[in-house]
Amino acid sequence: MEGAQPKVYSIDPEVGFVDALARGLLARSTDPLDLSRIQLLLPTRRAGRALSEAFLRVAGGQALLLPRIRPLGEIDADELLISGEPTGLDHAFGSTGIAADLPPELPGVTRQLLLARLVLRWAEQRGDTAAPAEDQAIRLAGELGRLIDSVETEGLDFAELARLAPEDYAVHWQKTLDFLRIVTDSWPEIQRDLGTLGAAERRRRLLEAQAAAWLAEPPQGPVVAAGSTGSIPATAELLKVIAGLPNGAVILPGLDREMPETAWAQVLEAPSHPQHTLARLLRHLEIGRKEVADWPTSQEATGTSGQTPATARRCLIATALWPATATSGWAEMPNDFSAQEAERALTGLRRIDCPDPGTEATTVALLLRETLDTPGKRAALVTPDRALARRVAAELRRWGLEVDDSAGRPLATTPPSAFLRLTAQMVAERLAPLPLLATLKHPLAAGGEETGRFRTQVRRLETAVLRGPRPPAGFDGLLEAARAETAGRSMVPWLQHLAGMARSFATLLNNRAAGLAQTAEAHVAFAEALAASDSEPGATRLWRGEAGEEAAAFFAELHDGALTAGGLTAARYLAVLEALMTGRAVRRRYGGHPRLAILGPLEARLQQADRLILAGLNEGTWPAETEPGPWMSRPMRAAFGLPPVERKIGLAAHDFTQAASAPEVILTRAERVEGTPTVPSRWLLRLDALCNLLGRPSALADESALWATRVEALDAAKAYRPCDPPSPTPPAAARPRGLSVTQVETWMRDPYAIYARHILKLRKLPALDEEPGAADKGLIVHDALEAFTKAWPVTLPPDAEAQLLNHGRAVFQRIRHRPTLFAFWWPRFARIAAWVSNREAERRPQLTELLSEIEGRIDIEGFELRARADRIERLIDGGLALIDYKTGTAPSSKSLRLGFSPQLPLEAVIALAGGFEGLPPAEVAELAFWRLSGGHPPGEIKTLKPGKETPAIEDLAVQARNGLAALVTRFRDPSTPYHARPRPDWAPRYSDYEHLARVKEWTAAEVEEG
């Protein structure tokens, strides 16, 4: 090998990398079998799939024997060059491969749980009172795992940590170094005991072993490594070996061979520069830029021998991103780069600044959809912002386009994992209504029944038991609540069946000392039982498809890892699940749109489309924030030998320059995110600054206003006229022939509510987990007073207040499971009891009889008027006092006089006619409201006394009767509509039917017109 000339090539970024690579390999092949003899190493498996598609395009669909494509696995730990399978790389692997000589890889979940156990043990040994919870320890373990990967990737030794001079750093860092003894002292011993290696270390050793094997015995066939930047030291060494092989070649992505030497000399000292990693690789390969050749046929692939706009743009972008110390050379640019060249360089490059991420996602979706109008044209979105990518994919569905994000979908959001998380949350929160219904209404839930029948049972459970105040906790509480409801009693066997499914899991989850592995096993058993239908077992339904397989693999790893780690409990089981699922994704193996793609920057590095949209170009997104991590500061990382974190910016910058050199490029960003102004990406700012120097203050074709208009037009509704107020006119036979006195008040203020309730028969469902409100408080007070007056209808006991409090305690049992409400309402009731007992002592001597909650009814021109009087007192002189309890606000004198609060006057009408049970006709001497607030004062009496504005009680009753008769006559006419809020000033404060009448819609229109 001594004296062998390295063979290193480059493919310019304006040329589609995989297409140029495929074209060049085909051009080198003289025999149909030549391609199949090539071993081709690419960064990832996805790059390999892209190259396979490129071969089909270049060959015009002709059948080919493709090269043996292997992934180098620079990024993904599961995408390794050497797998140890019998189908390994070459004869150098032997029958079982080089991997057989290395210990197996330690699964990621197992490693995280083992590290979490070490974190907890470390806190216990120090007696830390603020020791982390298990889920927090798992998240810390994830950070430790990333540090271990970084160290093992670089081939460093954790023993060197102890040699860092702690006196040079703050006390905080000294404590951190003490904490990191977990990975310096404890972790290596655990790995030796298990006989395993971390994924990063095993990858490094495999790459090193492959390099050594090829040095010792070079392969006979061609070996080509393409698209790698050699950012991993072991990969860089393997590339050096390949470049020295007799039939080896290394093809670099977008090496800048035109940068002035003065600027290039500074690239090695600028980790954030896009060419920094390639410069380091060339130094490792011991070659200069001039020795790197064009990949054969790459220039022909552009379709022209001259400088294209894309080529000019590549030069302009490369210049804009020179190292900061070299930008003084920009001063000579106007001489070297004419305005005409600048114009050509910016051809095909556009910029769109959107007001927010939602608008950006819609704009990108429109740009992708527009591409399909040109036959055969391909487009791709490139962004590191996965949230933006998912929003774009969702927007594309409005046109029926399914485009998958290459980064996949987070495991936690897939249907199987969501169902598993919901089942855990349902049991952990002891069957609180919201998580219970969310679980039982999930499409996977069937409980061993036909799914339609199961959904019917769930709906019955919701309406009969779960609507309203929360039932007592757990299945026992739910069964108790079901037995208490007539409609719920038939559901008891069904609920007992569900309880049987969950019993083992609930028992373990409520036992804070239960083991994590045992709890996970019981959780899966419960989820499978709940997912079973009458025709399929739960395991089949739950673990089906790619998302189900990934979820099954995760829980298998969780179970095995928990057994290996030992000592971990399920005290915070749901939080532990969420912590361990973080970062796991589900990727589709097949499918995807043939002409549209959503790619991450790494996937886009080797691919190109007719239109590339680079989105999310804000600082903190692209490039991402660069933090040294929680363990070591920048100086400590440098002293330890870890690469600077700015190198990630350099890799991101390289991906940006590769993508921005495509024929048609659109750059997008959001000006504000969650209301906070954003900063444009440093690359956009650099490009603006250089173009300004070249006499182009507006660097790019800015189409922000144009696309903002298009997005607005896309979502704008057609010419819309607000609806008119409802005015239904049902037939006379359907109209109510009787109402209560309180409903008569509603009839006057909001006839539509009467129509909805009594004709349409609509009733509002109570809210889930409903907190008792003012109406419930009023019912409790009314029931307590009713029980007291019925117990002592004539004479008062000597301890009247104590007796009233005793009745109150019995009624307050309704909210015994709401201690906060009890603590708030009971003192108020105690003050009400004291006030009422005093009033009773004053009034009882003047009474001959006291009636409580008495029913009454009379007929008025064929219309039945009903009432349930809170309190009727027969006075010594034979007259009656009608009293209504109000725990809220009592009606005003004006509303009584105008007839909009007719409750007591209409009760007087019934009393005068002898309509109350057990009461003969009698004169009504008093109408009064007792306002029982429980505040200060706890109560007050508002008596209707005749005066200048208020007529006598008899006149008020006559007025109320005549008004009701007129109302009955009017609404017997089938042409009389039931208007909503015909008198806005007297409309009710609240109505259950307001949304049904669409009140806000037409009242807003009236305000605008007014």
Side-chain angles (χ1 to χ4, degrees):
M1 295 298 295
E2 186 176 350
Q5 178 65 37
K7 293 172 284 298
V8 183
Y9 304 89
S10 176
I11 296 177
D12 290 332
E14 68 269 21
V15 181
F17 190 95
V18 291
D19 290 82
L21 177 60
R23 190 175 285 107
L25 291 174
L26 280 172
R28 287 183 163 200
S29 303
T30 57
D31 185 277
L33 296 178
D34 284 348
L35 276 180
S36 64
R37 298 188 182 100
I38 299 174
Q39 294 190 57
L40 188 56
L41 310 184
L42 294 174
T44 65
R45 288 190 177 126
R46 289 187 292 278
R49 289 196 292 269
L51 179 61
S52 300
E53 295 170 0
F55 272 115
L56 285 174
R57 287 194 298 270
V58 171
Q62 179 184 352
L64 296 172
L65 290 174
L66 296 180
R68 284 173 290 172
I69 302 173
R70 300 287 184 264
L72 274 167
E74 281 191 358
I75 300 300
D76 297 325
D78 62 333
E79 295 180 341
L80 303 180
L81 164 63
I82 305 165
S83 64
E85 298 173 357
T87 56
L89 276 179
D90 201 71
H91 66 276
F93 293 90
S95 60
T96 58
I98 294 173
D101 298 329
L102 292 176
E105 178 185 330
L106 182 64
V109 172
T110 302
R111 182 180 74 168
Q112 197 167 353
L113 291 174
L114 284 166
L115 286 170
R117 184 73 188 106
L118 291 177
V119 170
L120 293 170
R121 186 182 303 164
W122 181 86
E124 290 169 5
Q125 291 171 350
R126 279 152 184 77
D128 191 349
T129 56
E134 290 189 340
D135 58 301
Q136 295 170 327
I138 286 172
R139 296 184 192 279
L140 279 173
E143 292 291 343
L144 281 174
R146 281 184 275 277
L147 174 63
I148 292 171
D149 287 340
S150 299
V151 171
E152 292 179 345
T153 295
E154 297 297 323
L156 302 175
D157 188 351
F158 271 114
E160 297 296 322
L161 274 179
R163 300 180 186 177
L164 293 178
E167 63 272 6
D168 294 343
Y169 303 106
V171 174
H172 165 72
W173 290 116
Q174 295 179 33
K175 291 182 178 178
T176 300
L177 287 173
D178 178 59
F179 177 77
L180 290 179
R181 291 182 186 276
I182 289 173
V183 294
T184 59
D185 301 341
S186 305
W187 183 244
E189 183 180 346
I190 287 177
Q191 282 203 303
R192 282 194 300 271
D193 293 342
L194 292 174
T196 60
L197 291 175
E201 183 177 3
R202 195 168 191 274
R203 174 180 58 188
R204 190 193 77 243
R205 291 194 187 184
L206 287 170
L207 292 172
E208 291 170 348
Q210 181 63 79
W214 277 344
L215 272 176
E217 186 178 352
Q220 298 300 312
V223 179
V224 178
S228 175
T229 60
S231 59
I232 295 175
T235 306
E237 181 59 29
L238 180 60
L239 294 180
K240 184 175 182 179
V241 170
I242 293 172
L245 294 176
N247 295 314
V250 174
I251 306 171
L252 303 178
L255 176 66
D256 188 344
R257 290 163 290 168
E258 300 174 359
M259 184 186 299
E261 287 297 332
T262 54
W264 182 259
Q266 301 172 51
V267 168
L268 277 171
E269 306 303 323
S272 62
H273 191 273
Q275 294 287 311
H276 174 77
T277 306
L278 290 175
R280 292 177 68 252
L281 178 61
L282 291 182
R283 183 176 64 178
H284 186 75
L285 297 178
E286 300 177 358
I287 63 173
R289 286 188 297 161
K290 301 301 181 184
E291 300 174 64
V292 178
D294 280 324
W295 175 245
T297 77
S298 64
Q299 288 298 325
E300 293 82 349
T302 65
T304 176
S305 57
Q307 189 185 51
T308 65
T311 304
R313 188 190 315 139
R314 182 244 302 168
C315 296
L316 180 67
I317 292 174
T319 303
L321 271 59
W322 278 359
T325 53
T327 52
S328 57
W330 282 4
E332 302 177 5
M333 282 295 296
N335 299 325
D336 301 333
F337 208 80
S338 66
Q340 184 178 1
E341 289 173 314
E343 190 70 32
R344 183 167 64 252
L346 296 174
T347 300
L349 185 64
R350 293 180 281 166
R351 174 172 170 176
I352 302 173
D353 287 15
C354 304
D356 54 70
T359 304
E360 183 180 13
T362 306
T363 300
V364 172
L366 280 170
L367 289 164
L368 292 171
R369 172 62 185 85
E370 184 186 57
T371 308
L372 299 180
D373 293 337
T374 303
K377 189 174 182 179
R378 295 183 299 131
L381 162 65
V382 181
T383 180
D385 187 344
R386 300 339 305 162
L388 176 63
R390 289 193 291 271
R391 293 178 85 160
V392 171
E395 288 287 343
L396 286 169
R397 292 191 189 104
R398 72 166 75 206
W399 297 291
L401 300 174
E402 288 292 335
V403 183
D404 293 322
D405 182 2
S406 65
R409 182 178 178 183
L411 174 63
T413 66
T414 60
S417 296
F419 178 68
L420 287 158
R421 289 167 60 234
L422 284 171
T423 52
Q425 183 182 6
M426 162 188 138
V427 177
E429 296 190 18
R430 305 193 66 192
L431 276 60
L434 287 175
L436 174 62
L437 283 178
T439 304
L440 299 183
K441 288 186 175 183
H442 192 281
L444 284 173
E449 301 180 63
E450 190 273 325
T451 53
R453 188 182 308 115
F454 185 81
R455 298 286 179 275
T456 300
Q457 290 286 73
V458 174
R459 286 192 291 270
R460 288 180 57 205
L461 174 67
E462 177 183 356
T463 54
V465 181
L466 298 179
R467 289 282 176 175
R470 178 185 294 194
F475 274 105
D476 290 341
L478 193 61
L479 286 165
E480 177 188 339
R483 292 187 181 103
E485 299 289 341
T486 304
R489 290 170 194 156
S490 62
M491 304 190 67
V492 168
W494 183 75
L495 289 174
Q496 289 172 333
H497 178 59
L498 290 181
M501 293 180 188
R503 183 171 293 110
S504 176
F505 180 43
T507 301
L508 290 169
L509 206 56
N510 292 328
N511 179 5
R512 300 183 66 83
L516 180 59
Q518 187 183 9
T519 304
E521 188 175 350
H523 178 202
V524 169
F526 169 51
E528 288 181 348
L530 187 59
S533 69
D534 61 336
S535 59
E536 287 184 295
T540 302
R541 299 184 75 233
L542 182 57
W543 311 120
R544 178 180 291 147
E546 293 162 351
E549 291 174 12
E550 184 64 28
F554 168 78
F555 271 88
E557 290 179 32
L558 169 61
H559 180 265
D560 295 344
L563 288 176
T564 303
L568 294 173
T569 69
R572 290 171 58 86
Y573 180 72
L574 182 59
V576 166
L577 278 188
E578 292 173 346
L580 289 172
M581 280 188 184
T582 301
R584 292 186 71 121
V586 178
R587 296 184 177 95
R588 291 186 63 177
R589 299 188 187 94
Y590 307 103
H593 199 279
R595 292 167 55 196
L596 300 179
I598 299 176
L599 306 171
L602 174 65
E603 291 82 13
R605 180 193 298 173
L606 305 185
Q607 302 184 55
Q608 203 171 82
D610 302 302
R611 169 182 283 180
L612 279 185
I613 304 164
L614 312 187
L617 283 165
N618 284 325
E619 282 294 304
T621 301
W622 201 5
E625 297 284 352
T626 55
E627 295 294 334
W631 312 120
M632 289 184 279
S633 63
R634 282 178 167 83
M636 292 177 72
R637 287 176 62 93
F640 184 50
L642 289 174
V645 293
E646 287 76 17
R647 190 181 295 180
K648 294 180 181 178
I649 295 181
L651 292 171
H654 180 263
D655 294 333
F656 170 77
T657 56
Q658 287 283 110
S661 299
E664 182 185 359
V665 177
I666 303 166
L667 311 175
T668 74
R669 59 176 292 264
E671 295 175 331
R672 302 179 79 88
V673 175
E674 295 181 355
T676 303
T678 58
V679 177
S681 171
R682 62 189 69 188
W683 308 318
L684 291 181
L685 297 176
R686 281 289 197 95
L687 194 57
D688 284 343
L690 179 59
C691 290
N692 186 55
L693 183 65
L694 295 174
R696 284 287 304 270
S698 179
L700 310 179
D702 190 341
E703 299 184 347
S704 303
L706 170 65
W707 285 96
T709 302
R710 291 181 177 178
V711 169
E712 185 178 353
L714 181 68
D715 289 327
K718 296 180 180 178
Y720 175 71
R721 178 179 178 275
C723 70
D724 294 324
S727 54
T729 54
R735 300 187 177 218
R737 300 186 180 185
L739 292 172
S740 68
V741 292
T742 54
Q743 286 294 299
V744 169
E745 179 175 339
T746 303
W747 198 9
M748 298 185 64
R749 294 174 182 259
D750 186 10
Y752 185 82
I754 298 298
Y755 166 77
R757 179 170 181 176
H758 294 276
I759 299 175
L760 298 184
K761 309 297 183 185
L762 299 178
R763 296 289 189 277
K764 177 191 173 185
L765 284 174
L768 286 171
D769 218 353
E770 186 176 55
E771 290 286 348
D776 299 278
K777 176 187 172 185
L779 287 174
I780 288 175
V781 172
H782 275 69
D783 290 349
L785 292 176
E786 177 186 3
F788 175 75
T789 54
K790 286 185 175 179
W792 304 95
V794 180
T795 60
L796 281 177
D799 56 345
E801 182 178 349
Q803 291 294 330
L804 181 51
L805 286 173
N806 286 338
H807 287 291
R809 288 189 187 93
V811 176
F812 265 80
Q813 287 299 306
R814 298 177 191 171
I815 58 170
R816 64 186 183 280
H817 56 289
R818 305 255 182 192
T820 304
L821 277 179
F822 183 88
F824 180 72
W825 284 0
W826 179 255
R828 289 178 171 268
F829 179 77
R831 290 193 287 271
I832 290 172
W835 184 88
V836 168
S837 61
N838 289 334
R839 300 293 80 74
E840 291 279 16
E842 295 170 359
R843 297 183 69 89
R844 287 296 179 97
Q846 306 171 30
L847 309 182
T848 60
E849 187 178 9
L850 174 60
L851 300 173
S852 179
E853 301 295 331
I854 182 173
E855 300 281 352
R857 64 190 69 233
I858 60 170
D859 183 276
I860 298 178
E861 299 186 7
F863 183 89
E864 184 182 66
L865 177 65
R866 300 183 295 273
R868 183 182 177 88
D870 289 344
R871 179 184 180 111
I872 299 180
E873 300 174 344
R874 183 179 292 280
L875 306 177
I876 293 175
D877 60 6
L880 300 178
L882 306 183
I883 297 171
D884 188 55
Y885 301 140
K886 293 289 185 186
T887 53
T889 304
S892 66
S893 299
K894 183 177 181 181
S895 67
L896 284 163
R897 186 178 72 254
L898 296 178
F900 287 105
S901 298
Q903 180 180 349
L904 279 183
L906 287 176
E907 287 185 9
V909 171
I910 298 174
L912 289 168
F916 283 109
E917 297 175 1
L919 278 179
E923 178 186 353
V924 178
E926 181 183 351
L927 298 178
F929 295 101
W930 284 16
R931 185 171 180 270
L932 307 174
S933 66
H936 300 284
E940 59 179 318
I941 298 176
K942 183 178 181 179
T943 304
L944 275 67
K945 297 179 180 178
K948 185 182 299 184
E949 295 184 349
T950 305
I953 292 176
E954 186 175 349
D955 296 336
L956 201 61
V958 171
Q959 178 182 315
R961 181 186 181 94
N962 293 340
L964 177 59
L967 200 62
V968 168
T969 301
R970 181 179 179 186
F971 275 89
R972 276 183 178 155
D973 184 352
S975 64
T976 301
Y978 284 81
H979 288 297
R981 299 159 55 103
R983 303 173 182 85
D985 291 342
W986 294 101
R989 296 180 183 177
Y990 173 78
S991 171
D992 288 337
Y993 307 100
E994 189 173 286
H995 65 291
L996 188 65
R998 299 168 72 178
V999 169
K1000 292 184 179 179
E1001 187 172 339
W1002 48 264
T1003 53
E1006 289 175 355
V1007 170
E1008 290 176 4
E1009 292 173 2

